[in-house]
Amino acid sequence: MTARVGVVTFPGSLDDGDAARAVRIAGAEPVRLWHGDPDLHGVDAVVLPGGFSYGDYLRCGAIARFAPVMETIVDAAQGGLPVLGICNGFQILCEAHLLPGALTRNQHLHFRNRDQVLRIESAGTAWTNAFQPGQEVLIPVKNGEGCYVADTATLDQLEAEGRVVARYVGGNPNGSQRDIAAITNAAGNVVGIMPHPEHAVEELTGPSLDGLGFFTSVLKHLVGAPA
């Protein structure tokens, strides 16, 4: 049976269509989810896409965190549902306390848009099992508030528990502490990533096909998950 992966649309979402396309290219059925509808319609995994949910008012992701769909997603994620937050989705996951830390203004105070090399640090998550630890991938980054910050104790805990999923290589585009580009929760089912894997799934439009592995990983994870 084909896996069904939900892609949430918030007011101001920008990359929900791209995320749905990446899900389809990976071999799953994309299911569009609406911010105001708490029903997840039986999906097997969820992607929170990039963009500017609710216009980034108050703080990036601060309002989206209270959307009806997020109440359901938080409960489901705590129960093991795989959730990937990309860019604004990463910010929402932090605001919802599914992931620690926060994403703040880029240290140089400029929006940064470029192709970025990442090093995969953890291949043990639901969204990165298609990679090898230490593997380098090329994925676009585009953000103005992508600087990952956390207190020293939290950063040390992430390192000690192997929960840093990816780091920036060849230059840090936003000043994120310890070059962190992606992290996971303790269970490995929730991942937040600032760069955009959904923009690196086709030769025609992407700098590589490296982003596809994030989406095929969750399908592999779902096949191995208990019924």
Side-chain angles (χ1 to χ4, degrees), residues 23-209:
V23 166
R24 185 168 60 251
I25 291 171
E29 176 190 349
V31 178
R32 305 306 288 266
L33 302 177
W34 185 241
H35 69 104
D37 182 1
D39 190 348
L40 299 186
H41 301 281
V43 298
D44 303 301
V46 167
V47 177
L48 302 179
F52 307 91
S53 58
Y54 297 92
D56 280 350
Y57 288 108
L58 299 183
R59 283 186 316 277
C60 298
I63 299 177
R65 175 262 178 275
F66 292 102
V69 74
M70 282 304 301
E71 295 181 17
T72 311
I73 288 172
V74 168
D75 288 342
Q78 291 171 343
L81 181 77
V83 179
L84 177 66
I86 303 170
C87 197
N88 187 222
F90 188 1
Q91 295 162 340
I92 294 169
L93 290 176
C94 290
E95 290 287 342
H97 305 297
L98 285 173
L99 294 175
L103 286 306
T104 63
R105 284 293 301 272
N106 293 350
Q107 283 192 345
H108 45 66
L109 304 182
H110 295 286
F111 189 91
R112 187 64 78 233
N113 182 6
R114 73 187 192 196
D115 297 334
Q116 177 69 47
V117 178
L118 307 179
R119 182 174 63 249
I120 303 297
E121 300 284 11
S122 172
T125 79
W127 298 92
T128 55
N129 60 65
F131 301 104
Q132 296 296 320
Q135 181 176 346
E136 293 189 358
V137 297
L138 181 66
I139 293 175
V141 63
K142 53 175 189 177
N143 62 73
E145 297 182 272
C147 179
Y148 181 76
V149 298
D151 61 81
T152 300
T154 297
L155 293 170
D156 289 344
Q157 182 179 21
L158 290 172
E159 301 273 14
E161 296 178 358
R163 291 168 54 192
V164 175
V165 173
R167 297 185 204 270
Y168 299 111
V169 175
N172 185 328
N174 46 40
S176 287
Q177 292 179 317
R178 304 193 190 182
D179 296 328
I180 290 175
I183 61 171
T184 185
N185 65 341
N189 62 303
V190 178
V191 169
I193 182 169
M194 185 48 55
H196 288 262
E198 79 280 15
H199 293 332
V201 298
E202 292 183 290
E203 292 182 356
L204 178 64
T205 57
S208 72
L209 300 180

